[in-house]
């Protein structure tokens, strides 16, 4: 083969290898699939393949604990921003109600390659919806992801609605649907798993003025998945 031709091929291959990752413009929608649970403000982040908002089997960070127990995404968002990640915080401008959907969340990923989404599930002690470092496809199209609820492992699931929501304070902050009971004695939680793991769901009961739980088993119980995320890669 002609040496000039070889040189041209090598130069061309070098340029191809050096080409930057093409940015993807995303349009995201999120649907709450539960019958009676709300999602607190949602945090969406685009990042590289080394970053995680959470990881199953690992201890929750203080920022994740704050979100999972009280719905506060501020520390997670600040950490992501400090790590040069791209963020969309609270696209619903409040809670996402059962069966609710938020559409047309636009995100230019620039050089980022992965997507994560978190939000607390209310009313629970420390459950959250979690999409961990989903690799953004490079092929344009519409992609559907069913998202599970995770347990942060930071608090016993006593199912008592008492205004608790600060990290380390037992109890559930509130039942936004105003459909919880009261005077529950508390569910006996014997789990020793203090790592992030798939949430076992709530027990609840049907006693509005007592029983073991303040949650209503006819309203607040769920089966995974709890959320549906649709990502359109443009």
């Amino acid at each position: 083969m002609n040496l000039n031709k070889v040189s041209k091929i090598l130069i061309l291959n070098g340029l191809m290898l050096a080409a930057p990752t093409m940015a993807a413009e995303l349009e995201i929608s999120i649907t709450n699939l539960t019958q009676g649970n709300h999602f607190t403000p949602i945090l969406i982040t685009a990042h590289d393949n080394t970053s995680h908002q959470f990881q199953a089997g690992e201890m929750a960070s203080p920022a994740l604990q704050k979100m999972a127990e009280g719905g506060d995404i501020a520390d997670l968002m600040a950490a992501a921003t400090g790590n040069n990640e791209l963020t969309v915080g609270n696209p619903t401008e409040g809670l996402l109600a059962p069966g609710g959907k938020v559409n047309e969340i636009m995100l230019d990923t620039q050089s980022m390659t992965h997507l994560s989404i978190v939000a607390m599930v209310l009313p629970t002690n420390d459950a959250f919806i979690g999409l961990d470092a989903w690799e953004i496809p490079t092929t344009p199209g519409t992609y559907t992801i069913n998202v599970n609820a995770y347990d942060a492992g930071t608090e016993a699931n006593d199912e008592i609605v008492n205004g608790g929501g600060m990290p380390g304070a037992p109890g559930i902050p509130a039942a936004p649907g105003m459909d919880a009971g009261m005077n529950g004695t508390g569910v006996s939680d014997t789990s020793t798993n203090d790592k992030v793991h798939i949430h076992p769901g709530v027990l609840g009961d049907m006693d509005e003025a007592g029983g073991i739980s303040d949650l209503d088993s006819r309203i607040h119980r769920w089966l995974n998945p709890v959320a549906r995320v649709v990502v359109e890669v443009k």
Side-chain angles (χ1 to χ4, degrees):
M1 184 180 287
N2 182 299
L3 285 178
N4 286 335
K5 191 172 183 179
V6 171
S7 298
K8 288 178 181 177
I9 291 172
L10 291 174
I11 291 170
L12 181 59
N13 286 340
L15 289 173
M16 290 174 66
L17 290 173
T21 302
M22 295 298 291
E25 184 77 25
L26 306 183
E27 183 174 340
I28 303 167
S29 71
I30 302 172
T31 303
N32 180 340
L33 300 179
T34 70
Q35 173 185 262
N37 298 279
H38 291 68
F39 299 161
T40 62
I42 297 165
L43 176 61
I44 303 170
T45 57
H47 51 84
D48 62 25
N49 64 352
T50 65
S51 296
H52 298 271
Q53 293 291 353
F54 73 96
Q55 286 184 278
E58 300 291 337
M59 298 289 291
S61 66
L64 184 75
Q65 179 181 7
K66 191 173 183 180
M67 181 278 300
E69 293 186 19
D72 188 346
I73 61 174
D75 287 1
L76 283 175
M77 193 165 181
T81 301
N83 197 36
N84 296 318
E85 299 172 24
L86 305 171
T87 65
V88 177
N90 195 16
T92 60
E93 298 183 355
L95 302 179
L96 184 61
K101 183 177 183 180
V102 56
N103 289 308
E104 299 179 348
I105 306 168
M106 306 305 298
L107 178 59
D108 182 351
T109 64
Q110 299 179 30
S111 62
M112 301 305 176
T113 56
H114 289 69
L115 188 73
S116 293
I117 300 175
V118 294
M120 182 187 183
V121 180
L122 272 178
T124 69
N125 289 87
D126 61 344
F128 65 96
I129 66 168
L131 179 65
D132 173 37
W134 179 72
E135 187 172 1
I136 300 166
T138 57
T139 303
T142 301
Y143 301 85
T144 299
I145 312 133
N146 290 323
V147 177
N148 291 329
Y150 287 84
D151 189 315
T154 58
E155 180 179 322
N157 297 322
D158 63 14
E159 300 187 14
I160 300 298
V161 180
N162 63 356
M166 295 298 293
I172 296 171
M178 306 299 290
D179 45 18
M182 59 182 66
N183 302 319
T185 57
V187 172
S188 177
D189 187 345
T190 59
S191 172
T192 58
N193 191 346
D194 60 357
K195 311 292 196 303
V196 176
H197 56 279
I198 292 291
H199 201 285
V202 301
L203 292 177
D205 60 34
M206 294 186 288
D207 187 343
E208 297 180 0
I212 62 170
S213 174
D214 286 340
L215 305 184
D216 192 320
S217 59
R218 299 161 296 182
I219 299 171
H220 301 122
R221 286 180 64 84
W222 75 76
L223 294 173
N224 276 319
V226 295
R228 179 163 295 139
V229 174
V230 177
V231 179
E232 183 179 352
V233 180
K234 297 181 179 294

